[in-house]
Amino acid sequence: MLGLALLLAALPARADALRGDLDVTGTWYVLVHYKDSATNNPDFERWLDRVWVLEESGSRLKWIDYPLVIFQDRDGRFERRAGMNQARTLAFWEPNADQLEQIQSGLEVNPRGSKTKTVRGSAAEGWRSRGAIGGLSANTLTYTETWSIEGDGGLPVFRIQDSLGGARVESLDGVTEYRTTEILPGGEELRGTFNRDGTRTGTFRMLRAGPVEDVKGSQSQAELRKKYAAGGLGGAIGSIMAGVSTEQIQENPEAVRAEVKKSVQESFSERGLDIDQSSPVIDDLVDQIMEQLEKGKTPEQIDRMIRQGKISPRQFR
């Protein structure tokens, strides 16, 4: 199959053409460093990452966006905050040597939240997905996303534009742009500026990556139910109450809740249960435990209730 790099080289040069020796197809790890002027803390350093897969499909490109990336080594990426699940660290995170090695060998991705677009065009004219379909009722609200890859002086500009509107309302548009300013030798890394609606601004890096695979241990509700029942998880969760005092519950219930949730998550993780997919189950268990605490039950009593199955995921009953 003709590689995209050869196709680019064969096309006539134009001002908006992509650089002829750059093959944009393949798997890319995208890391963004930015600040958000629309927040109460505009000076906080923030980051996000994702994986893009660009595949040739005849005269088109299939562009897959995976926003949930899984590293075996999670060092520096997330932190626990009071009353919250794990959140991204408020610093410009950079992968360490082991994490870079995993990027090169191939990352795991969670398919939840992934999106796929087919972009049409050519390297000389740019690539663009189709926009909204016409002919809809005047009362219909439509949401569309247009993805494009265009050249600016031979450097690719990746742009995602989303629009919500209709015939009788003013459209609400948003644009996320990754504008390449530098291609490192060999085309293995792209660097440039990141801009989301003029409020989230910063820089990005795109690194060539190995082939991705779905995260290991992804489970359906049926599999989760079976594993929960077989793993004796209820008794294990009960042990987390041992260090909780009545004074703590009365003085700072939110802190107790955060600690309970943290321990439940760790208990799930130790048994190979996916924390993201188990989130509704975890929240349900934490709610039940907190309800019993508010009723005056002691940690020892709650421990027994869990071990006896009186506190268990309602989804599995």
Side-chain angles (χ1 to χ4, degrees), residues 5-226:
L6 295 178
L7 177 62
L8 297 178
L11 292 169
R14 291 177 45 149
D16 58 351
L18 298 181
R19 209 176 78 180
D21 60 348
L22 174 66
D23 184 355
V24 297
T25 62
T27 301
W28 297 88
Y29 172 73
V30 184
L31 175 62
V32 176
H33 290 169
Y34 71 97
K35 295 183 179 181
D36 191 344
S37 62
T39 66
N40 293 328
N41 300 290
D43 294 327
F44 278 8
E45 296 180 346
R46 306 173 191 270
W47 64 272
L48 59 85
D49 62 350
R50 57 210 319 113
V51 166
W52 285 348
V53 179
L54 289 158
E55 301 175 341
E56 288 184 272
S57 180
S59 61
R60 305 170 182 175
L61 290 179
K62 183 169 74 171
W63 182 353
I64 310 172
D65 173 39
Y66 294 102
L68 299 177
V69 185
I70 312 299
F71 279 85
Q72 294 172 358
D73 178 1
R74 301 181 181 183
D75 184 47
R77 289 173 55 80
F78 297 95
E79 62 186 5
R80 295 190 185 278
R81 301 178 196 165
M84 298 176 61
N85 292 333
Q86 284 191 341
R88 289 185 175 91
T89 53
L90 291 174
F92 288 158
W93 173 79
E94 284 283 352
N96 60 31
D98 290 339
Q99 291 161 340
L100 282 172
E101 184 177 346
Q102 190 183 356
I103 292 171
Q104 294 169 358
S105 61
L107 291 161
E108 294 180 10
V109 294
N110 191 326
R112 180 166 52 88
S114 65
K115 296 181 179 180
T116 302
K117 285 280 189 180
T118 298
V119 291
R120 299 166 173 83
S122 68
E125 299 175 355
W127 307 85
R128 188 179 181 86
S129 66
R130 288 183 176 176
I133 300 174
L136 297 175
S137 164
N139 296 322
T140 302
L141 278 175
T142 60
Y143 175 78
T144 59
E145 288 188 3
T146 303
W147 299 12
S148 64
I149 306 172
E150 299 173 348
D152 182 5
L155 301 173
V157 179
F158 303 86
R159 187 178 291 112
I160 298 175
Q161 179 172 349
D162 47 81
S163 179
L164 176 66
R168 296 183 176 179
V169 297
E170 184 177 352
S171 293
L172 299 174
D173 298 320
V175 179
T176 304
E177 181 184 88
Y178 304 77
R179 180 175 294 272
T180 306
T181 58
E182 180 183 10
I183 301 174
L184 270 60
E188 298 299 299
E189 180 176 342
L190 281 60
R191 297 179 179 177
T193 59
F194 170 81
N195 190 317
R196 169 66 186 181
D197 296 340
T199 58
R200 296 184 179 185
T201 57
T203 62
F204 79 93
R205 296 170 59 201
M206 284 178 61
L207 308 175
R208 285 203 182 274
V212 296
E213 60 179 342
D214 287 356
V215 59
K216 297 179 177 65
S218 294
Q219 297 145 336
S220 66
Q221 277 291 93
E223 291 171 331
L224 185 60
R225 183 185 294 109
K226 182 178 180 181

Side-chain angles (χ1 to χ4, degrees), residues 228 232-242 260 264 267-268 285-286 288-290 292-293 298-313 317:
Y228 176 89
L233 194 59
I237 293 175
S239 64
I240 68 177
M241 302 305 302
V260 168
V264 173
S267 185
F268 268 60
L285 286 169
V286 173
Q288 292 183 64
I289 292 171
M290 294 304 297
Q292 296 302 321
L293 287 172
T298 65
E300 292 76 14
Q301 289 173 319
I302 293 175
D303 179 88
R304 285 196 297 272
M305 293 175 71
I306 294 173
R307 293 176 185 276
Q308 293 168 359
K310 295 179 180 179
I311 294 178
S312 65
R317 293 176 188 172

Side-chain angles (χ1 to χ4, degrees), residues 272-293:
L273 293 165
D274 186 280
I275 293 176
D276 288 333
Q277 292 196 11
S278 304
S279 182
V281 177
I282 291 171
D283 289 339
D284 178 34
L285 286 169
V286 173
D287 286 342
Q288 292 183 64
I289 292 171
M290 294 304 297
E291 286 172 7
Q292 296 302 321
L293 287 172

